[in-house]
Every structure is written in C-alpha cells, then in structure tokens.
Coordinates of all heavy atoms in Angstrom, one line a residue:
L1 N -141.1 -15.1 -57.6 CA -141.9 -14.3 -56.7 C -143.4 -14.5 -57.0 O -144.2 -14.5 -56.1 CB -141.5 -12.9 -56.7 CG -140.1 -12.6 -56.1 CD1 -139.7 -11.1 -56.3 CD2 -140.0 -13.0 -54.6
G2 N -143.7 -14.7 -58.3 CA -145.1 -15.0 -58.6 C -145.5 -16.3 -58.0 O -146.7 -16.4 -57.5
R3 N -144.7 -17.3 -58.1 CA -144.9 -18.6 -57.5 C -145.1 -18.5 -56.0 O -146.0 -19.1 -55.4 CB -143.9 -19.6 -57.9 CG -144.0 -21.0 -57.2 CD -145.4 -21.6 -57.6 NE -145.6 -22.9 -56.9 CZ -146.2 -23.0 -55.8 NH1 -146.6 -22.0 -55.1 NH2 -146.3 -24.2 -55.2
L4 N -144.3 -17.7 -55.4 CA -144.3 -17.5 -53.9 C -145.7 -16.8 -53.6 O -146.3 -17.1 -52.6 CB -143.2 -16.7 -53.4 CG -143.0 -16.5 -51.9 CD1 -142.9 -17.9 -51.3 CD2 -141.8 -15.6 -51.6
A5 N -146.1 -15.9 -54.4 CA -147.4 -15.2 -54.2 C -148.6 -16.2 -54.3 O -149.6 -16.0 -53.7 CB -147.6 -14.1 -55.2
D6 N -148.4 -17.3 -55.0 CA -149.5 -18.3 -55.1 C -149.5 -19.3 -53.9 O -150.5 -20.0 -53.8 CB -149.3 -19.1 -56.4 CG -149.7 -18.3 -57.6 OD1 -150.6 -17.5 -57.5 OD2 -149.2 -18.7 -58.7
G7 N -148.5 -19.2 -53.1 CA -148.5 -20.2 -52.0 C -148.3 -19.6 -50.6 O -148.6 -20.2 -49.6
W8 N -147.8 -18.3 -50.5 CA -147.5 -17.7 -49.2 C -148.4 -16.6 -49.0 O -149.3 -16.3 -49.8 CB -146.1 -17.3 -49.2 CG -145.5 -17.0 -47.8 CD1 -145.7 -17.8 -46.7 CD2 -144.9 -15.8 -47.4 NE1 -145.1 -17.2 -45.6 CE2 -144.6 -16.0 -46.0 CE3 -144.4 -14.7 -48.0 CZ2 -143.9 -15.0 -45.3 CZ3 -143.7 -13.7 -47.3 CH2 -143.5 -13.9 -45.9
L9 N -148.2 -15.8 -47.9 CA -149.0 -14.7 -47.5 C -148.6 -13.5 -48.4 O -147.5 -13.0 -48.4 CB -148.8 -14.3 -46.0 CG -149.1 -15.4 -45.0 CD1 -148.7 -14.9 -43.6 CD2 -150.6 -15.7 -45.0
R10 N -149.6 -13.1 -49.3 CA -149.3 -12.0 -50.2 C -149.1 -10.7 -49.5 O -148.3 -9.8 -50.0 CB -150.4 -11.9 -51.2 CG -150.5 -13.1 -52.1 CD -151.9 -13.3 -52.7 NE -152.8 -13.7 -51.7 CZ -154.1 -14.0 -51.9 NH1 -154.5 -14.0 -53.2 NH2 -154.9 -14.3 -50.9
T11 N -149.8 -10.5 -48.4 CA -149.6 -9.2 -47.7 C -148.1 -9.1 -47.2 O -147.5 -8.0 -47.2 CB -150.5 -9.1 -46.5 OG1 -150.4 -10.3 -45.7 CG2 -152.0 -9.0 -47.0
R12 N -147.6 -10.2 -46.6 CA -146.2 -10.2 -46.1 C -145.2 -10.1 -47.3 O -144.2 -9.4 -47.1 CB -146.0 -11.5 -45.3 CG -146.9 -11.6 -44.1 CD -146.6 -10.6 -43.0 NE -147.5 -10.6 -41.9 CZ -147.5 -11.4 -40.9 NH1 -146.5 -12.3 -40.8 NH2 -148.4 -11.4 -39.9
L13 N -145.5 -10.8 -48.4 CA -144.6 -10.7 -49.5 C -144.5 -9.3 -50.1 O -143.4 -8.8 -50.3 CB -145.1 -11.7 -50.6 CG -144.3 -11.7 -51.9 CD1 -142.9 -12.1 -51.6 CD2 -144.9 -12.7 -52.9
L14 N -145.6 -8.6 -50.2 CA -145.6 -7.2 -50.7 C -144.9 -6.3 -49.7 O -144.1 -5.5 -50.1 CB -147.0 -6.7 -50.8 CG -147.8 -7.2 -52.1 CD1 -149.3 -6.8 -52.0 CD2 -147.2 -6.7 -53.4
A15 N -145.1 -6.5 -48.4 CA -144.4 -5.7 -47.4 C -142.9 -5.9 -47.5 O -142.1 -4.9 -47.5 CB -144.9 -6.1 -46.0
I16 N -142.4 -7.1 -47.6 CA -141.0 -7.4 -47.7 C -140.4 -6.8 -49.0 O -139.4 -6.1 -49.0 CB -140.7 -8.9 -47.6 CG1 -141.1 -9.4 -46.2 CG2 -139.3 -9.2 -48.0 CD1 -141.1 -10.9 -46.1
C17 N -141.1 -7.0 -50.1 CA -140.6 -6.5 -51.4 C -140.6 -5.1 -51.5 O -139.6 -4.5 -52.0 CB -141.4 -7.2 -52.5 SG -141.0 -8.9 -52.8
I18 N -141.6 -4.4 -51.0 CA -141.6 -2.9 -51.1 C -140.5 -2.4 -50.2 O -139.8 -1.3 -50.5 CB -142.9 -2.3 -50.8 CG1 -142.9 -0.8 -51.2 CG2 -143.3 -2.4 -49.3 CD1 -144.3 -0.1 -51.1
S19 N -140.2 -3.0 -49.1 CA -139.1 -2.6 -48.2 C -137.8 -2.8 -48.9 O -136.9 -1.9 -48.9 CB -139.1 -3.4 -46.9 OG -140.3 -3.2 -46.2
F20 N -137.6 -3.9 -49.6 CA -136.4 -4.2 -50.3 C -136.1 -3.2 -51.4 O -135.1 -2.6 -51.6 CB -136.5 -5.6 -50.9 CG -135.2 -6.1 -51.5 CD1 -134.2 -6.6 -50.8 CD2 -135.0 -6.0 -52.9 CE1 -133.0 -7.0 -51.3 CE2 -133.9 -6.5 -53.5 CZ -132.8 -7.0 -52.7
W21 N -137.2 -2.9 -52.3 CA -136.9 -2.0 -53.4 C -136.8 -0.5 -52.9 O -136.1 0.3 -53.5 CB -137.9 -2.1 -54.5 CG -139.2 -1.3 -54.5 CD1 -139.2 0.1 -54.5 CD2 -140.5 -1.7 -54.6 NE1 -140.5 0.5 -54.6 CE2 -141.3 -0.6 -54.7 CE3 -141.1 -3.0 -54.7 CZ2 -142.7 -0.7 -54.7 CZ3 -142.5 -3.1 -54.8 CH2 -143.3 -1.9 -54.8
S22 N -137.4 -0.1 -51.7 CA -137.3 1.2 -51.2 C -135.8 1.4 -50.7 O -135.2 2.5 -50.9 CB -138.3 1.4 -50.1 OG -139.6 1.4 -50.6
V23 N -135.3 0.4 -50.0 CA -133.9 0.5 -49.5 C -133.0 0.6 -50.7 O -132.0 1.3 -50.7 CB -133.6 -0.7 -48.6 CG1 -132.1 -0.8 -48.3 CG2 -134.4 -0.6 -47.3
S24 N -133.3 -0.2 -51.8 CA -132.5 -0.2 -53.0 C -132.5 1.1 -53.7 O -131.5 1.6 -54.2 CB -132.9 -1.3 -54.0 OG -132.8 -2.6 -53.4
T25 N -133.7 1.8 -53.7 CA -133.8 3.1 -54.2 C -133.0 4.1 -53.4 O -132.3 5.0 -53.9 CB -135.3 3.6 -54.3 OG1 -136.0 2.7 -55.1 CG2 -135.4 5.0 -54.9

C-alpha cells in the first residue's frame, strides 16, 4: 500500500482504506 501511495491518487487510496477498516471495525 505504501508503493501504491507512491504511484496512485493518495486521496482515493486513503478514502478506500478508511472505508475498508471502518467496515471491518
């Protein structure tokens, strides 16, 4: 995910990941 942050849209990556961990919580 760190490598993805270096190449993709970090705003979208953060949005997707916080959605994923919120649903997991």
Side-chain angles (χ1 to χ4, degrees):
L1 290 175
R3 176 60 184 86
L4 187 58
D6 282 335
W8 195 50
L9 300 174
R10 293 156 292 184
T11 53
R12 300 290 172 87
L13 178 59
L14 284 170
I16 292 170
C17 285
I18 194 173
S19 299
F20 185 81
W21 92 58
S22 296
V23 170
S24 297
T25 301

